[in-house]
Amino acid sequence: MKKIITIIAAFATCAALTACGSTPKNSDGSSVSQNTDTFAGLKLKRAGITDRVVFNTLDELERSSHIAVVGTFINDAEQEVDYEYDPYFKKDIIVDINSTNTIEVTKVLMGDVNVGDELKIDQNYGIVDGELITFSELTPMQKGDEWVFFLRKVAKSDHYICTAESDSRFPTKSSASKNGIMPLAEGAELGVYNEADFNDGIYKEIVEKYDV
């Protein structure tokens, strides 16, 4: 295993208000519609990558994950945007952005979880003023999408995160061609913006072991 170093970025985005615990919003407070066309007119801003461990084998991934499931996103994502005043730009800028969605578990691969459980999943991206801003290698969480998830519990929370970004969320054999449209990604059916980020080795091990 090796570690990817975090890239820190700041956004010179004017903050009329903070969209905490809400559906995606523009800075004027207007909501961003959540449907399969949500991303069609957006500009993609890759803000950096989350500090994480890179896994080379399924065994490594399993040992670092609390649970592994097949699940479907059942809600539209809600996001929180954190702003801080920057004296250089002389205005509030975005310093962090996070979205949360809920999956319903349809199959348990490992861990203390049951079919039918609903789990909150966090991911570092959000939509502000016509831009999809992301620190994540994974494409956004769209209602109705089905994936294989390897998850870790967030400390002092009932939420989960993917254990290692693109090394820990994969399509099922049936969902790759059925999941939501994502025009900003070259590997949308794989759940990543860039096909090179998809861990094909672990994916093949998952299909062989779990038949999903």
Side-chain angles (χ1 to χ4, degrees):
M1 294 183 289
K2 59 183 179 180
K3 198 166 189 178
I4 291 180
I5 299 173
T6 303
I7 299 175
I8 300 174
F11 307 98
T13 303
C14 185
L17 54 86
T18 302
C20 292
S22 64
T23 53
K25 292 182 182 293
N26 296 311
S27 62
D28 63 0
S30 59
S31 295
V32 176
S33 174
Q34 290 286 280
N35 53 51
T36 54
D37 297 323
T38 296
F39 309 101
L42 298 181
K43 177 182 177 181
L44 178 64
K45 178 175 283 189
R46 300 294 299 276
I49 52 177
T50 303
D51 188 24
R52 71 174 182 87
V53 174
V54 176
F55 294 97
N56 298 307
T57 68
L58 176 58
D59 181 63
E60 290 176 350
L61 177 59
E62 289 174 331
R63 284 189 278 112
S64 294
S65 301
H66 294 145
I67 62 173
V69 301
V70 177
T72 301
F73 288 116
I74 59 175
N75 294 324
D76 289 330
E78 296 186 345
Q79 70 180 34
E80 292 187 5
V81 186
D82 294 331
Y83 297 91
E84 288 183 4
Y85 182 78
D86 188 293
Y88 178 80
F89 293 109
K90 297 183 179 180
K91 59 184 175 182
D92 289 341
I93 63 170
I94 296 174
V95 293
D96 193 23
I97 192 164
N98 186 72
S99 289
T100 300
N101 207 331
T102 303
I103 63 168
E104 180 178 354
V105 176
T106 56
K107 184 175 182 177
V108 177
L109 307 185
M110 56 168 274
D112 185 15
V113 61
N114 299 304
V115 170
D117 284 354
E118 295 183 4
L119 309 177
K120 296 287 186 182
I121 310 297
D122 293 340
Q123 192 175 320
N124 285 124
Y125 78 89
I127 299 171
V128 178
D129 289 337
E131 292 185 326
L132 173 58
I133 301 169
T134 182
F135 288 90
S136 177
E137 299 160 351
L138 296 170
T139 53
M141 303 177 289
Q142 298 192 67
K143 187 176 181 178
D145 281 5
E146 179 186 72
W147 302 98
V148 179
F149 297 87
F150 286 79
L151 301 169
R152 289 186 61 82
K153 198 81 170 285
V154 177
K156 299 180 181 180
S157 171
D158 62 350
H159 290 204
Y160 288 84
I161 58 171
C162 289
T163 302
E165 281 286 310
S166 59
D167 287 351
S168 49
R169 194 186 83 181
F170 302 89
T172 66
K173 290 187 289 186
S174 61
S175 71
S177 61
K178 298 177 182 178
N179 286 344
I181 298 168
M182 184 56 207
L184 301 176
E186 67 179 24
E189 73 283 358
L190 304 176
V192 293
Y193 293 102
N194 298 321
E195 289 185 14
D197 291 330
F198 185 72
N199 196 319
D200 189 60
I202 290 181
Y203 175 66
K204 289 177 180 177
E205 289 189 79
I206 290 170
V207 173
E208 181 178 354
K209 180 174 181 177
Y210 294 111
D211 191 31
V212 291

